[in-house]
Amino acid sequence: MNTIIAQVDSIQFYKKKIIELTSSSNFSENNITYIDFLNELSYRLRYTELDSMESLSKKALQLSKNFNYKKGELEALTNFSAFHLYGGNTVKAIEYGNLVLETAEISNFPQNKMKVHNQLGQAYFIKQDYPLTYSHFLNAISLSEKYHDDSYKFRMNMNLGTMFNLLQDYDEAMVFYTKAFKISETLKDAEMNAMVSSNLGYLYTQKEDFKKAKTLLLKSIAYFEKAKINQWLAFSHTTLGQLNLKLNNYNEAIVNYDKALLLHKSLNDIKGRADINYGLAKANFGLGKSVEAEEFVNESKILYESFKLNSGLERVNRLLYQIKKNQKKVSESLAYLELAENLANNINKEKNIRYLILQNAKLNIEKEKENLAIKNRLAIAQQRKYVKWSLAALFTSFVIVLIILNSNKREKLLNKKLENQAIVLKENQKNLSNINRNQDRLFSIVGHDLRGPIISLKELLTLYIEDPDGKMYFEKFAPQLREDLEQVQFTMDNLLHWGKTQMMGSSMRLERIPISDEIENILHFFSKEIKKKYIEIDNQIIDNHFAFADLDQFNVIFRNLISNAIKFTPNEGEITITSKIKDASLLIEISDTGVGMSELTISKLFKDTEHISTAGTNLEKGTGLGLRLVKEMIVKNNGEIFVKSKINKGSHFIIELPLPTI
């Protein structure tokens, strides 16, 4: 049975040991046991006494250096990482953690190495860098399996389950929680079992399986109360409060949140306090107590802002919108609604990007495992061959020759097979990289540039239908929404054309194009934007100039280029469009007096690996897709594009297309 000492008991245990050691008549500070006790006590003070933790770590570090005790030095540095982690300084926590991992001697102390990976995983989770979180937790699991440390294996599976739980990937979270539960059952450890039950209670609360959630939470609360494990008890009460909140049991929710808040007085958990204050605000608002609700929600807002948690701030601003709306404070409520919507858009965009990055990290880790398995299989196969050769030495030389020949033949076949597999794997990897880039680009555009205006339209229509003041809101935001939807249409057109260029065998119809008419139509299409920014258009296209290209793609190319010129030209600026014939080509040039670009930006404009999306001079939105689409279509039409630009001097695009043949 693996018994985990309750936090408060372990603190008293090591304080007592230090007192006993220092009271000895022959005590010396240059004592390995004394340094170990200092480090152990320091680590256990991370939730309650950060000042004492820091001073103990400093002392242990200095004594370890004086005594050249490397284990003590690395433990002390690891504790500094934990000190900054629980103090809210994740940058410093990562700095100290990486310092420990970069030390060559860390491989001699697997327990310390697991602890560092665990802390780095937590720090990167707070920074919302989920791929690095995933990587560090998996490294800790790998070490725990190698050294048969079931306690750490349990903790890391719990951490990974919690990561996916908070990312709302409940199926993946259940996989890791199930592994943790099996470990607790094997060890017959009641505390581990209660921890898993508490986390599963949170998971089932999010999935709205309230019956299972309540049973698990009450079970864990009973254990944590008896064992006096305040951190987990506070978390379980907070989750039970959230459960009652979802069931509109506001008074019961307040009881649980109050218990959690009382426990948090002895804990160093900023996010936990923020969640509790938000829950109390929601419960009081549900009971019609707007004043109390506003006090709690403002307290939670301060806490969420202290470590920049956008998901918490989005919930807070949405609740403040409801509170101000009930108070008939229209302008204030509207301001909070706008903040909430902006945060929601950012969260959705970040969520899509992080999901793709995390999936890519998973794929890379699986590939590494697969490569390692292949190497192991090859090594085992090689070892088996050595055994066979050794046995063959006992037989006649004739048998030995036959075995060697047969072995060489098999080896050649195996090498040929591996060579063919490597070629296939390389091609598949290339295709997968292209697919990942395209998915990343599409999810980013669809998840942000298209989804945001649609959500805003939905909110405005809901207000229009359900709110007495909805018509006023609608009339106020309708013009902006119309511009957003026009941008959505423009973006969708680009996406459709870009999708066609990615398809194998997409058809083109080359024809003789009168460029003067087409450019004039495009300028007419953007007439509203041109008038809005008071931009002067100097159209010097010559009437009898023709290009030989696909008409649809010609229009997509110049709609994007003229749109960009308008976007990055300030009010009362000028755009000049000219044409001329050079050798056997037609040159169309578009110049503007806009913000211009640096040499570095120009070098990245048309690269598939880069994603450049910049707001215009009047904060016009963009996707970063247009110029790549322009480049692809110009190349397909046997043309070229050149760019000249300087910061604050404007940009000059030169498009070279073939002339019609006579």
Side-chain angles (χ1 to χ4, degrees), residues 368-398:
E368 289 175 7
K369 287 183 179 178
E370 185 179 345
N371 291 336
L372 184 61
I374 291 171
K375 288 180 181 178
N376 289 337
R377 285 198 295 269
L378 288 173
I380 291 169
Q382 193 68 28
Q383 289 172 0
R384 286 174 178 170
K385 281 192 285 184
Y386 291 152
V387 172
K388 288 178 181 178
W389 292 345
S390 298
L391 292 172
L394 300 173
F395 297 94
T396 64
S397 59
F398 176 72

Side-chain angles (χ1 to χ4, degrees), residues 109-127:
F109 311 109
Q111 286 284 341
N112 197 6
K113 194 172 183 179
M114 282 186 276
K115 187 190 291 185
V116 174
H117 278 302
N118 177 25
Q119 290 173 185
L120 283 171
Q122 294 180 61
Y124 280 117
F125 185 81
I126 293 169
K127 288 176 70 67

Side-chain angles (χ1 to χ4, degrees), residues 57-69:
S57 296
K58 285 181 178 178
K59 188 170 186 178
L61 180 62
Q62 188 60 53
L63 290 173
S64 297
K65 287 182 176 180
N66 293 343
F67 197 55
N68 197 24
Y69 179 37

Side-chain angles (χ1 to χ4, degrees), residues 112 151 264 299 308 339 382 419 546 558 602 646 652:
N112 197 6
S151 174
H264 266 269
E299 179 64 22
K308 299 177 182 178
L339 285 172
Q382 193 68 28
E419 184 180 342
F546 296 86
F558 286 96
I602 292 173
K646 289 186 178 180
H652 183 193

Side-chain angles (χ1 to χ4, degrees), residues 327-342:
Q327 294 173 351
K328 306 298 182 184
K329 296 179 179 179
V330 176
S331 59
E332 288 185 54
S333 69
L334 196 58
Y336 284 122
L337 178 61
E338 287 181 298
L339 285 172
E341 288 302 327
N342 288 335

Side-chain angles (χ1 to χ4, degrees), residues 7 42-48 50 53 82 86 155 268:
Q7 190 69 23
S42 170
Y43 184 69
R44 281 159 177 78
L45 291 171
R46 65 193 185 279
Y47 295 119
T48 54
L50 283 175
M53 180 187 184
Y86 292 97
R155 290 176 66 183
N268 182 47

Side-chain angles (χ1 to χ4, degrees), residues 67-82:
F67 197 55
N68 197 24
Y69 179 37
K70 202 65 185 179
K71 179 177 181 292
E73 181 181 342
L74 292 175
E75 281 281 354
L77 290 171
T78 302
N79 285 343
F80 273 116
S81 176

